[in-house]
Structures are given as C-alpha cells and as structure tokens.
Amino acid sequence: MTSKYDLTQRIAPQLDRHLVFPLLEFLQERGMYPEEDILKAKIELLNNTNMVDYAMDIHKSLYRSEDVPQEMVERRAEVVGRLKALEEAAAPLVTFLQNPNAVQELRADQQHNLRMLNDRYQIGQEQIEALYQYAKFQFECGNYSGAADYLYQYRALCTNTERSLSALWGKLAAEILMQNWDIALDELNSLKEIIDSKSFSSPMNQVQSRIWLMHWSLFIFFNHDNGRTLIIDLFNQDKYLNAIQTNAPHLLRYLATAFIVNKRRRPQFKEFIKVIQQEQCSYKDPITEFLACVYVNYDFDGAHKKMKECEEAILNDPFLGKRVEEGNFATVPLRDEFLENARLFIFETYCRIHQRIEMSVLAEKLNLNYEEAERWIVNLIRTSKLEAKIDSKTGTIVMEPNHTNVYEQLIDHTKSLSGRTYKLVSQLLEHAQPQTAR
Amino acid sequence: MEFRAGNGIVAQNMFVGESDTEEEESDYDEEEESAPVETTTTTAASRYYSGNASDSDDSEGQKRVVRRVKDKRFDEMSATVDQMKNAMKINDWVSLQESFEKMNKQLGKVMRVVESDKAPNLYIKALVMLEDFLNQALANKEAKKKMSSSNAKALNSMKQKLKKNNKQYEDLINQCREKPELFEEKVEDEQEPEDEDEDEDEDEDDDFDEDVQTLESEESKDEEETAAESGSGWEKMLSKKDKMMDKQFKDPSQITWDTVNKKFKEIVAARGRKGTGKIELVEQLTFLTRVAKTPAQKLEILFSVVSAQFDVNPSLSGHMPINVWKQCVQNLLAILDILTQYSNIVVDDMVEPDENETQKGADFDGTIRIWGNLVAFVERVDVEFFKSLQVIDPHTREYVERLRDEPMFSVLAQDVQEYLERIGDYKGASKVALKRVELIYYKPQEVYDAMRKLAEQDNQGREVESGEGIKAVEENRAPTSFVATPELVPRKPTFPENSRTLMDILVSLIYKYGDERTKARAMLCDIYHHAILDEFSTSRDLLLMSHLQDSIQHMDISTQILFNRAMAQLGLCSFRVGLFAEGHSCLSELYSAGRVKELLAQGVSQSRYHEKTPEQERLERRRMMPYHMHINLELLEAVHLICAMLLEVPNMAANVHDAKRKVISKTFRRLLEVSERQTFTGPPETVRDHVMAATRALRQGDFEKAFDVIKSLDIWRLLRNKDNVLEMLKAKIKEEALRTYLFTFSSSYESISLDHLSKMFDLSDSQTHSIASKMMINDELHASWDQPTSCIVFREVEHTRLQALAFQLTEKLSVLAETNERAIEARIGGGGLEGLPLRRKDGQDYAATGGGRWQEFSFSQSRQGGRGGYNAGGGRGSGSAQFTRDRTGRSGGYHGSRHQDGPGRMHQTGSTVRGGQVDGLTMKKSFTPSSSKSSHPINTVNNEGMHCNCGMDALLKTSWTKSNPGRRFWACSRYGQNGYCGHFKWADDEMCSRAKQIIPGLLAKINKLQEEIEAFQSKEGKFESEINMANIRLAMLDHEVLELKKKNRSLVLFCYVTVCVIVGVSVAFLM
C-alpha cells in the first residue's frame, strides 16, 4: 500500500550497485516491504560485489543461522587472493604515492610525470593500469575511501580518456558513499562538463550518461545545503529535461519538489508546469498531480487532497524523506517545507481569482485552524506578499482589486518606444557617418 | 521438319531487320482475325518458306480456302500498283512512297497466303516500273529542282528504300527486265527460282550449328508457333509439346545438364523479343524446372520463371492476372524451399556468376552463386497485389476474393524475411519487413483477428483451391522431376495474437537495419497503427520525435501520402480519446486546401482551376489506395468540423469586436459564413449541415440541441466505442457552451451564481468552478469569485471608445517601431541582399562588416513568432535521444544522421515547443502544404510567404551575403528602401556549410573574371578608337592623294598645253 509511490525499482537500474544499498537501507527502515525480501535483494546485490563478509552477515540474519553457504566461503577466498595479487601489481606505484617526498616531485605536466616515473622508478603503463584495477577492486570491496584516493591519483596519471571517465564515475560513487557532499559536487560538475562537451560515439550514450548523472546527483542534491537550487539548474536545462522526458520521467518528482520548495527559481516554473502537463500521460505521482491541480485545472479541493498524498510520498522517498534527528524526535525537514510552500501555492492562486474569501474555508483549505490561518494571513499581508484586508466582523478576507489603470497600461505600452526609436536613430547616424566619410 | 523450323527463325531474324518489319509484325495478329484459316504452321512461316518444304499434311480443303484469300490479296496489290501508276503520272513522290510501303505490306500478306517464298510477279513488275521511273526522275535534274521540298524529300527516301528493297529481288528484277513477257503470264505460278534457294541454304547452314540439339530447335519452333497463334492454338501446342516431351525426354538418362542449360539460355534469349508469347515462355520455363538437373539450375530457372511471370502483365497500370500471380507466389516459395534445403546456394545480384556455376550438383560443398534478387521479387509481388486491388471494383465479390489472397503474400514475405535474416542480409530483411508492416498497419485489431483466423482455418481449403490452378500446369508434369524439393518453408502464415506485437517486432527490425526511406515509412505505419489502437500519446511522441514533419517534404509522394494518412488517423485518434484541440491541429491542414481526397489518395478531385493532363491523372490513379485501406472521409470531415466548432465558437464569442484577428479554423469560418448567408435553413442533411446547425445552437449556449444534432449523424456507427466518445463529446460541448455563454453574456450580468451556472449547463459545481477559474486566470473573463456567496462578480472593464482607439494606436506604433528596427537592421546588416550581380561586390563588403548579424536577424524573426509560421522547429526530443524511450526495446533508435545535430537546434526551439502539445503540433504547420505539393509541385509553398505586410505580392530575391549566399527569400518589394514593411521570409532552406564556404569563393572568382573582361573590353575600345583614328587619317591621306593627283593632272595638262603652245608658236615662227 505505502509502496505505491516507491520509485526504487525505477531508480535502481540507473545506479551503481553500491549506491543502491542506501536506498535499501531506507526501505528497510520504513518497513514498506517485508524484511526478508529486502535482505534477499541485498544478497543478490552483493553477489556481484566483493563485499563477501557483508553478504555473509546478511545471510546469517536472514536465515537466522550460523551456516554460510559454501560458495560464499569460496568466493571470499578468491576475493582475498585477487586482492593480494592486485595489491602486488600496484605496489610500486602505491609505495611511490605514499612517499610524500616523492609525490613532491610530481608537477602539473602529465607527460613529464610519466617520463619521470618511468625513468626513475621504473613505473610504466602496466603499473598505472594496475592502480586502476586495484582501486576498482577496493571499491568493490567496500573500501570507498581507499578507492577514492587511488582513483584521484590514477586520474592524474591516466592518459586514456575512456578510463579517466570511468575513474571519475568511480570517484563520484565513492565520494557519495562516503557522504563527502562537497567533494562529490565538484566531481559531479566535472563529470557533467565532460559529458556535455564530449562528442559521444552515439547520442544514445550521451543521453544515458546524463540520466545516470541525474540519478546519482540525487544523493548529492538532497543532502547538500545548496542542492535545491542546483537540482533545478541541472535538471531544468533543456538537454537534461529532454533526457528526463524521454527516458526517466520519474525524475520529474524530484524536480517538482525542488520547484515547490525553492522560491528562487520562479521564472522557469511556468515552463515546467507545461512539461508536467505534457507528461501526465507517461508519469503521474502525487506531487506532479498536485501541481496540475493548482496550475492546470484550478481544482483546489483536489489539490488539497493531493497534499496529503504528497506528504506520504515524501516520507517514503529515500531522497526526499531524509530524517534529521533533533533531540529525541526526528523530523523530515523537507516535508514541512514542502507543505508550507504548497499551501502558499494554493492560497496564491486562490486569491488571484477571488475577491472575498471566508476565513474558515481558507483555514480548512490550508489545513490550519482558524487562529493559525488568521495569523498566517496577517503575516502575509504584513510582508506585503498579499494585498488584502481582513474583515473580522464577517470573518472574510477582502482582496484589493489591482486592475491596472488604462492610462498606466497605455504608458506601459509606449514607454519603450521612444527608447527604441532613439537607439535606432543613433544607429542610423553611426552608420551614415562612415558612409559619408567614404 | 527441323530444318524448316530453324530456318524460319533465322530467316526472320536476319531479314526482318528492315524498316517495314514493324508494321508487318503487327499485321500478323490482324491476319489471324481476318483470315481465320487453320494455318497452324503456314502462318508462322515467313515469306521465305519454300513451298515444298511445307508440311505434307496440309489438307486440300485448307488449300482451297487459302486460294480464295489469295485472290483477294492479289486484288489488293494490283490496286496499289494502279495507285502507284497514277502517282507516277503526276510525279507525286509523296503518295508514291506511301503506296510503295503499302505494297510492301501487302506483299507480306500475299506471300503468306500463297505459301511461297517467291515474290509475285505483279510485285516484281511494279518494282521494275518504279525503278525506271526513279532513274528517270533522278536524271531529270531540272524537274527535280522544281519539286516542292516535301516531294523532293520523298524522292530521296524513295531512292534509298528502293535500292535496299530491290537488292532482295535483284535476280527476279533482272529476269523481268530480260523477258518481261514471262512475268506477264506467270501471275500465280510459283516456281521456286534456284537462286532464291541458295540464299536460303546458307541460312540453313548457319542453323545447323545451332541445331545440334534437336530439342532446342523443336522447342523454338513451338515458340515460333505459339507466337503466331497466341490464343487458338493453345491446346494444340500443349499436346504437341507433350508429344515432343515424350520424344525428347522418354529416356531421362539422355538429359544432361548441358542440354537443359542450352535450352534455358535459348528461351531466355527469346524473352522480350517480338513474337515471343509471354505466357508460353512461362510454360516452357516451368517445364524446364522439372527437367533441371541440379538444384542450382532449377533455382536459376525458377528465377527466370518468376521474372517471366512478371512480364506477363502488359501495361504499367494494369495488373498481373491473378492466377499468374498465385503461381508466381508458389514459385517464389519453391525457390525458398531450394534455398533452405541447400544452404550453400547463395543468391546475389551483384556479381555476374560463372557460366557453369549451376552445374555443381547437390553434393557440391562450396557456395554456389546464383543471380537473383529475392527482395525485388517480393516487392514486385506486393506491387502487383496492390495494383490488382486498385483496379478491381471494390464492390464486387472479386475484390473480396482477391483480398483473401493476402495471407498468401504475407506467408511469402514472412518466409523471405526469415531466410534473409538467416543468411544475415538484414538490410533486405528490413525491406521485406516493411512490406509486411504495410500489410497490417491499417488493420484494427478486429480486422487483424479476422485475417488471422482466415489464414489459419482457411488455409487447407485454399490449398486445394489454389492447387487447382496449379494442377493444370502440373498435369503435364514430366514423368520424373529430377530435383524434387520438399516443401520446407511453411505455407501458412503465423500471426501473433496481437497485431501490436507483430508490428513491434517488424518495426524494431526496420529501425535497426533499414535505410532512411524504409525507416521513415515504417515510422509512419507505426504512428498510424498506434493511432488506430487509441494510443494517442505514443503515436504523437513518435511523430514529434522523428521530426518527420520537417523532412517529409523531401520524400517521395507515396510516403507523403502515407504521412497524410497517418496525420488523419492521428486526428481521429485524438478525437476518440477526447483531445479535440489536438485533433483539430492534426486535421486542419488536410482540409485547408479542400483536397482531402487527393491528399489521402482516396480519389481524384476535379479542380475547377486547372485541367490535369491525362498523364497527371494516370499518375494520380496509380497512387490511389485500395478501397479497404480507405479512411472514411465523412467521419474525418465530421471530426474535423466538430473539433473546429469546439475551438472556434468560444473564440468567436471572445473576440466579437475584432473577429478577423484570431481565426483558428479558416475552413470552418468560411462554411459558417456560407450557411449564415442562406435565407432558409432546412433540416440538416450533410455532415456540414449538421455541424453548422450545432454551431448555431452552441452560439446560443444551447448545448443540448447542439449535442442532439451532432449525435444524429449516422457516421458515428463507424466509430469504435462510440458511446464513450459521444459522452466525452457531450461533456466538452457543455464546457464550451459554458465558455461561450460567459463570453457572450458577461457584460449583461453584474454577478452570476455558481449554482445557476452549473444547473444551466448540467455540470458539477467543481467543473464549473474550474472552467470559470481558468478563464479568469487567463484574463479571458474579467471577473472574480465571491467565495462566501459562491458567485462570479463581473468587473466593468469595457474600454471607452477613446481608450480603445488609443490602444489601437499604441499597437500600431509598436508595429511601426519594430518595422523600423528590422529595416535598419536589413540596411546595416545586409545591405547587399538583393544582390544583383553588379552590386554584388558592395554586398560582400556589407556582409563582411555586418558579419554574423544575419544570424541575429533571422533569429529575432523567428522569435516574432507566428507571422510566417516561421518556427519550423524540432520536436521536443533531442534529436539524438529520441528513440531511447521505446519501451519495446527498439533501442536501436531511429536517429537519422540528419538529426544528429538535434540537440543544437533544439536549444533554440525546444523551450517553445515544449510549450504544450498544441504548440507542438501546430508548430509543425509546414507539413501538409508539402503533402499538397505532392500532387502539384508548383503549388504555393506557403501563402504567408508570398504576401508582404503592406499587402502587395512579395518578391523573390536572392541573398548574396556571406552567411547566406545564393539563398532566396521573399521580401517586400521595397526591401531595403523607404517604406519597407519588414516582411521577410526565406524561401530556400539553409545551405550546408560547405556551400557557404564555396559560393563566396566562386563569386569572388566570377567577379574577378568579370573585371578582367571589363578591362579587356575597355582596352578593346581604346584599340578600336585608335583604329578609327587611323582610318580617318587614312581617308584624309587618300583625299590628299586625290587632290595631288588632280593637281598633277592639271599640271600635266598645263605643261601639255604650254608645250603645244610653244610648239605651235615655234612652228609659227618657223613657218
């Protein structure tokens, strides 16, 4: 029932294996699915990683036994062996990199570095390649910080652009998993630049990369302080919006939420409403439906109902429903913000088409009691967000009519004309002079 | 017997290469009718037949008949000779020539009747006479000069013809000259002259080489015969062949690969020749397939059987006989059988295979290459099927019968596709897949199911039925078929349960491997099919993402028709799902020109304004859709008009004062005007009447009546789930009625209660509220809600007259300013635009300074929006990403190379396009004008381009700026001058960058050359003037010389006189 708005199934395929764990953890916490299913899913996930110990733990808790299947034990041995081998292969370079004095010798010039490594330390392409494999293996084992470090150093030495890109993805994943949001954001931006600038072999790949990028970025944006603005800046770019519309309409939920919560990106909002309207047939969820109710159908009762569903959806979303522990009780900050802003949306639109509203009705529409509603409105009026007066005798709010005067309209229309003409004349004169001179 | 036969052929081939042969050939058939003699062999014999070599079994009776005919022929000939004599008398060479040709024709007939190889004496005599006369005429040069030109021409050609002609009869003519009396008497005495025979013997010698295989000559004789007696002698030939077969193939061991191959080569060589019966050719080849020794050979022969079968169809517009078509399909299936059985045989149409490639037997390991093209065959079969459906009257049983053959084709296509996929020829497979797609795309699920059932249960029955047709052929099957092929490929089509699944499979194959055109067509079929299944959003997305609207202009006409059909179906679909605005934008273009029939290829509409040439009409007929694929035009019209009504009525109510300004549907407006002009409106009859009546009701806000009128249309029965649709329609009509009511009567109310409104229009409160709210938000309705009393309070916003005028003034002012801006931009940015060659240099200077300005200019133009429908923009998908969304894993994607630059372009237009679906669809306005162009290429491209804002006709000019060299545009006639109204529109598409680079260079070169020429010309002028000066001086000198001469003479005279005087004086002195 509660899983109705769950997007995990749609999101997971676009993520790295390791990135799915936080989602599963969240689901486990919310208890939307039977515990067993989630544990099984985890084991399934882990089967292709090298985190065998973790898998064993889960297996134990799932079947409540101390026995571990033979294959897991074998796999563990194999993983350890492989790790050893890789470590050895990468050892020269790793020791070099761990020596701070040696690292001092590295310079900005990549060619120079490579030559230097080759001449003085006998570290060639194989070792560098081994570093990459080692880092990858570390990552698969769950040692994200090690992997991140190695990948960073690998990128400094790598000459192969494909590999470098792949390393960048790995670095991003590692940073996300370590929850270093600032660094992750930097990686994200550099990755975005590469994706946008690079002439991909096929446009399909480019779109796919964008979609991956957007999915991964969800982790960052909903944890970073400035994320709510950044998500709009990223997702609302034409290229990315197109990718969303064609391949991943479920991302609209996050964009919509960001739009509702964020007050600074109003200009693009109208456009976005149109996108939502257009995509209604391919994707629906309480949040987009809420927007449709308020801005397309002007169905305020419907919007009111949707708000409740939205709350539920937000709470059950791993990205949106992030909890913040404050003392003894946890809050979901995004939910509160969302509800507040949604109310404001409804009210704004409502006021635009009414000239007199009963307070009690309004209070009910806003999910507030009478006093709260009155206080809320008074606040709005005081911050001059709303031009209205409360008629407390009849218990109504009366809107101030704000029809523009005809004369003002006329002036508006003609104001710019003189400026434009002036500019024209000067342009003409400028052009005429060289001609006469000639 | 063999001799004669061989002789017959060669003689004909050798001698018949003359000018008069063609008529003679065509005469053959006439002859058959006029003289229905049972001349099985004689007719076939040419005039070189020796009488004694003719069949001995010619009966006496036959002879008698022949004699009578003979007399007739002779009479005719002598009449011609008389005519010639007359012509000679008046020296009329033109008529003489005519008579001569006539005589030659008659000669052929005569000889055939008399069964002689020797020309009749009458003819020879005429020739002699003619020759004499000719020589005489040529000798008389004076007379020749006097002749009229046509006469002289005739004389000359006569001379040559006669010379050529007489060569054949040289001996006879000589004989005649020597003893004319012999010829006088021997009118009918056909004595074989010796010399004639010699000639023939030579031929026969030649033949001997070829006659080594008796079989062949036998066969070719048959051929010869059948050519002559295409119809009547049919059975006879067959029986004869049987006999021959018995004789030749009694002993199968005698047949070798060589014999069959030789025979085959020979038959193929005869193909396409005059007098080769097409059907017989097929028969012979079919026979050969049975005696073929190796599978490869059988295959090769089968290929030619099929192509021979295609030849049976005589004309381009006619279709192949149905039974032949069926056989053809069977043959193709047999080909597939062989190919499946022997996988080492490769069919290829690229390389010319080895002569003896087919000799390799079944046990040969390597690949055997056979020339042939399966895909082309399948396409051809499809075309023939299509044509037959076009031609057959759709209201007959025959049509239905023919339709039942469809599974037969689909099984063939399916098998071929499978085979091609197996051998890895995916390109071909995609082509065949397209044929299959085109077979099912227009079928709704019900029809598809019916077809599937028919294919399943009916197959056995049909097998027998179609088997009968073939049985006739199989009866005379040779005792042993050397290469027996089991029926390996299925003879029964397999259809998945759901038509959509089949479409998905086929279409994804095509998207993966097909070429541009195949993909486009498949895409259109896909759109059409989705639309049929009421999946509006899917098909709309496909359409928008494929950018087909932009590229469709450049495709062939049948694809454009398909596009129009898809658009029509999309319109119907959006109507069915209740998206009326979208429906209108899909259909309005189709109806704007009033030639829907033509655009959908469902009939030829007669245009009042220009006559079509028969050629055009024939072409159009060839494009017609078969009846069962038609889209019901009445339904389409009803849908279009209703959509237009729903949009236009509230729109008209909203803009009562300046109704002309915002017109949504011109067609609808026009119809409305016509119906309003009528003095009396009767009960509605046609679709239009109904919609007009509904419109009248709707304008009064009477939604019930409007709906009832529309509901009474009886075309709704053609609509799937019509109840739902009508319900939706009713809701929409209510809504629009409410809107119209509010627009029209808002000024009469101070306030109006929600209750009242919702009761009036039978809507729920929330609906009414929502509709009214929407109108308020959009500033259409100047009012606001009063929540406590739940009523609408109207505001007085009526402008006074002065205010309204002031607004108009400001609007005009801003237009003026805009125009000024544009004008100055044109001046400064691209002054050399109308670049006449002379000003070109200046233009380039401007362009150099104005540089990238053009870009801005055109861009601002496009931002100005609607003026010229300029925003031909991309859909919302980035050109590249487009197809990734295909749910069925068609991730192969249909992104043509053209669209690779999609993302870049989409940048500019993307945001606007995304602005709602309606925008998306209307933006694509340019699509149907192109399709209307399909039938008349000279049609107006876009009316908006042709008239400039000042109302005059715009001029087509050419830009010579650096950024757009040689690109034409429509612009105001005062472009670049005072009073330029700002109209500007490109007529050509943007050039490619290469052209842009090259053209300026070329222009510079031309300019340089022109300069050089000018320099030379000025130099030349200088020289000329110098020469003139010199001439003048010369003249002066001449003059001087003359003067001097004169002086000189007078001096001499003077001297003379003085001398004389002196002499005289001195003489006088002396005296």
Side-chain angles (χ1 to χ4, degrees), chain A residues 359-376:
Chain A
M359 285 288 277
S360 54
V361 177
L362 195 66
E364 189 196 319
K365 281 219 184 329
L366 296 171
N367 280 352
L368 298 169
N369 62 32
Y370 191 88
E371 271 79 36
E372 269 180 333
E374 192 169 355
R375 200 174 309 131
W376 194 67

mmCIF file of all heavy atoms in Angstrom, chain A residues 359-376:
data_model
loop_
_atom_site.group_PDB
_atom_site.id
_atom_site.type_symbol
_atom_site.label_atom_id
_atom_site.label_comp_id
_atom_site.label_asym_id
_atom_site.label_seq_id
_atom_site.Cartn_x
_atom_site.Cartn_y
_atom_site.Cartn_z
ATOM 1 N N MET A 359 -12.781 33.206 6.009
ATOM 2 C CA MET A 359 -11.602 32.721 6.732
ATOM 3 C C MET A 359 -11.691 31.233 7.055
ATOM 4 O O MET A 359 -10.726 30.486 6.927
ATOM 5 C CB MET A 359 -11.442 33.498 8.045
ATOM 6 C CG MET A 359 -10.924 34.891 7.855
ATOM 7 S SD MET A 359 -9.204 34.888 7.409
ATOM 8 C CE MET A 359 -8.486 34.749 9.028
ATOM 9 N N SER A 360 -12.851 30.827 7.470
ATOM 10 C CA SER A 360 -12.979 29.434 7.913
ATOM 11 C C SER A 360 -12.706 28.477 6.764
ATOM 12 O O SER A 360 -12.038 27.450 6.928
ATOM 13 C CB SER A 360 -14.369 29.191 8.487
ATOM 14 O OG SER A 360 -15.339 29.596 7.543
ATOM 15 N N VAL A 361 -13.229 28.841 5.590
ATOM 16 C CA VAL A 361 -12.991 27.985 4.426
ATOM 17 C C VAL A 361 -11.505 27.916 4.124
ATOM 18 O O VAL A 361 -10.942 26.845 3.861
ATOM 19 C CB VAL A 361 -13.751 28.532 3.208
ATOM 20 C CG1 VAL A 361 -13.458 27.699 1.987
ATOM 21 C CG2 VAL A 361 -15.222 28.599 3.487
ATOM 22 N N LEU A 362 -10.911 29.076 4.209
ATOM 23 C CA LEU A 362 -9.489 29.151 3.899
ATOM 24 C C LEU A 362 -8.693 28.294 4.878
ATOM 25 O O LEU A 362 -7.791 27.544 4.477
ATOM 26 C CB LEU A 362 -9.047 30.601 3.987
ATOM 27 C CG LEU A 362 -7.694 30.889 3.362
ATOM 28 C CD1 LEU A 362 -7.756 30.669 1.879
ATOM 29 C CD2 LEU A 362 -7.265 32.283 3.686
ATOM 30 N N ALA A 363 -9.058 28.441 6.141
ATOM 31 C CA ALA A 363 -8.354 27.683 7.169
ATOM 32 C C ALA A 363 -8.445 26.193 6.873
ATOM 33 O O ALA A 363 -7.468 25.451 6.969
ATOM 34 C CB ALA A 363 -8.956 27.999 8.531
ATOM 35 N N GLU A 364 -9.601 25.807 6.470
ATOM 36 C CA GLU A 364 -9.786 24.386 6.181
ATOM 37 C C GLU A 364 -8.947 23.978 4.969
ATOM 38 O O GLU A 364 -8.290 22.946 4.956
ATOM 39 C CB GLU A 364 -11.265 24.157 5.899
ATOM 40 C CG GLU A 364 -11.637 22.695 5.807
ATOM 41 C CD GLU A 364 -12.991 22.535 5.156
ATOM 42 O OE1 GLU A 364 -13.899 23.344 5.465
ATOM 43 O OE2 GLU A 364 -13.125 21.626 4.329
ATOM 44 N N LYS A 365 -8.942 24.836 4.002
ATOM 45 C CA LYS A 365 -8.182 24.526 2.790
ATOM 46 C C LYS A 365 -6.695 24.443 3.085
ATOM 47 O O LYS A 365 -5.961 23.715 2.425
ATOM 48 C CB LYS A 365 -8.412 25.610 1.738
ATOM 49 C CG LYS A 365 -9.707 25.498 0.994
ATOM 50 C CD LYS A 365 -9.492 25.842 -0.466
ATOM 51 C CE LYS A 365 -10.766 25.848 -1.287
ATOM 52 N NZ LYS A 365 -11.821 24.969 -0.925
ATOM 53 N N LEU A 366 -6.267 25.239 4.058
ATOM 54 C CA LEU A 366 -4.844 25.270 4.347
ATOM 55 C C LEU A 366 -4.449 24.269 5.417
ATOM 56 O O LEU A 366 -3.286 24.241 5.826
ATOM 57 C CB LEU A 366 -4.433 26.671 4.795
ATOM 58 C CG LEU A 366 -4.592 27.771 3.761
ATOM 59 C CD1 LEU A 366 -4.361 29.119 4.382
ATOM 60 C CD2 LEU A 366 -3.623 27.558 2.616
ATOM 61 N N ASN A 367 -5.388 23.488 5.843
ATOM 62 C CA ASN A 367 -5.091 22.520 6.891
ATOM 63 C C ASN A 367 -4.647 23.200 8.185
ATOM 64 O O ASN A 367 -3.760 22.726 8.872
ATOM 65 C CB ASN A 367 -3.992 21.550 6.459
ATOM 66 C CG ASN A 367 -4.537 20.466 5.587
ATOM 67 O OD1 ASN A 367 -5.765 20.375 5.448
ATOM 68 N ND2 ASN A 367 -3.668 19.655 5.045
ATOM 69 N N LEU A 368 -5.226 24.313 8.469
ATOM 70 C CA LEU A 368 -4.858 25.023 9.687
ATOM 71 C C LEU A 368 -6.147 25.305 10.466
ATOM 72 O O LEU A 368 -7.237 25.295 9.898
ATOM 73 C CB LEU A 368 -4.190 26.353 9.354
ATOM 74 C CG LEU A 368 -2.876 26.322 8.564
ATOM 75 C CD1 LEU A 368 -2.527 27.716 8.098
ATOM 76 C CD2 LEU A 368 -1.760 25.749 9.413
ATOM 77 N N ASN A 369 -5.992 25.619 11.729
ATOM 78 C CA ASN A 369 -7.203 26.060 12.416
ATOM 79 C C ASN A 369 -7.373 27.561 12.224
ATOM 80 O O ASN A 369 -6.502 28.241 11.676
ATOM 81 C CB ASN A 369 -7.183 25.644 13.887
ATOM 82 C CG ASN A 369 -6.045 26.273 14.645
ATOM 83 O OD1 ASN A 369 -5.639 27.395 14.320
ATOM 84 N ND2 ASN A 369 -5.516 25.563 15.615
ATOM 85 N N TYR A 370 -8.490 28.078 12.698
ATOM 86 C CA TYR A 370 -8.872 29.446 12.366
ATOM 87 C C TYR A 370 -7.801 30.436 12.778
ATOM 88 O O TYR A 370 -7.380 31.284 11.994
ATOM 89 C CB TYR A 370 -10.205 29.757 13.053
ATOM 90 C CG TYR A 370 -10.830 31.039 12.584
ATOM 91 C CD1 TYR A 370 -11.664 31.046 11.479
ATOM 92 C CD2 TYR A 370 -10.573 32.229 13.244
ATOM 93 C CE1 TYR A 370 -12.230 32.219 11.038
ATOM 94 C CE2 TYR A 370 -11.131 33.406 12.817
ATOM 95 C CZ TYR A 370 -11.966 33.399 11.704
ATOM 96 O OH TYR A 370 -12.515 34.570 11.279
ATOM 97 N N GLU A 371 -7.345 30.297 14.010
ATOM 98 C CA GLU A 371 -6.383 31.294 14.501
ATOM 99 C C GLU A 371 -5.083 31.232 13.722
ATOM 100 O O GLU A 371 -4.516 32.242 13.327
ATOM 101 C CB GLU A 371 -6.085 31.065 16.005
ATOM 102 C CG GLU A 371 -7.017 31.782 16.932
ATOM 103 C CD GLU A 371 -8.334 31.027 17.046
ATOM 104 O OE1 GLU A 371 -8.288 29.778 17.017
ATOM 105 O OE2 GLU A 371 -9.407 31.666 17.128
ATOM 106 N N GLU A 372 -4.654 30.005 13.531
ATOM 107 C CA GLU A 372 -3.407 29.830 12.780
ATOM 108 C C GLU A 372 -3.524 30.467 11.403
ATOM 109 O O GLU A 372 -2.634 31.172 10.957
ATOM 110 C CB GLU A 372 -3.097 28.338 12.625
ATOM 111 C CG GLU A 372 -2.246 27.776 13.728
ATOM 112 C CD GLU A 372 -1.987 26.297 13.503
ATOM 113 O OE1 GLU A 372 -2.829 25.620 12.856
ATOM 114 O OE2 GLU A 372 -0.951 25.827 13.961
ATOM 115 N N ALA A 373 -4.645 30.208 10.785
ATOM 116 C CA ALA A 373 -4.848 30.733 9.443
ATOM 117 C C ALA A 373 -4.823 32.242 9.471
ATOM 118 O O ALA A 373 -4.196 32.888 8.617
ATOM 119 C CB ALA A 373 -6.179 30.244 8.892
ATOM 120 N N GLU A 374 -5.481 32.793 10.483
ATOM 121 C CA GLU A 374 -5.508 34.257 10.556
ATOM 122 C C GLU A 374 -4.095 34.797 10.728
ATOM 123 O O GLU A 374 -3.671 35.734 10.040
ATOM 124 C CB GLU A 374 -6.395 34.684 11.723
ATOM 125 C CG GLU A 374 -6.698 36.167 11.668
ATOM 126 C CD GLU A 374 -7.783 36.554 12.650
ATOM 127 O OE1 GLU A 374 -8.352 35.643 13.295
ATOM 128 O OE2 GLU A 374 -8.047 37.756 12.764
ATOM 129 N N ARG A 375 -3.348 34.127 11.594
ATOM 130 C CA ARG A 375 -2.001 34.606 11.842
ATOM 131 C C ARG A 375 -1.160 34.499 10.558
ATOM 132 O O ARG A 375 -0.431 35.412 10.196
ATOM 133 C CB ARG A 375 -1.360 33.751 12.944
ATOM 134 C CG ARG A 375 -0.179 34.446 13.601
ATOM 135 C CD ARG A 375 0.337 33.647 14.785
ATOM 136 N NE ARG A 375 -0.724 33.280 15.705
ATOM 137 C CZ ARG A 375 -0.885 32.030 16.171
ATOM 138 N NH1 ARG A 375 -0.081 31.070 15.786
ATOM 139 N NH2 ARG A 375 -1.870 31.736 17.019
ATOM 140 N N TRP A 376 -1.351 33.399 9.900
ATOM 141 C CA TRP A 376 -0.599 33.156 8.659
ATOM 142 C C TRP A 376 -0.879 34.268 7.641
ATOM 143 O O TRP A 376 0.013 34.810 7.004
ATOM 144 C CB TRP A 376 -1.033 31.790 8.126
ATOM 145 C CG TRP A 376 -0.154 31.216 7.074
ATOM 146 C CD1 TRP A 376 1.127 30.790 7.220
ATOM 147 C CD2 TRP A 376 -0.510 31.021 5.717
ATOM 148 N NE1 TRP A 376 1.602 30.327 6.048
ATOM 149 C CE2 TRP A 376 0.623 30.449 5.097
ATOM 150 C CE3 TRP A 376 -1.649 31.246 4.970
ATOM 151 C CZ2 TRP A 376 0.630 30.118 3.756
ATOM 152 C CZ3 TRP A 376 -1.654 30.916 3.645
ATOM 153 C CH2 TRP A 376 -0.519 30.356 3.036
#
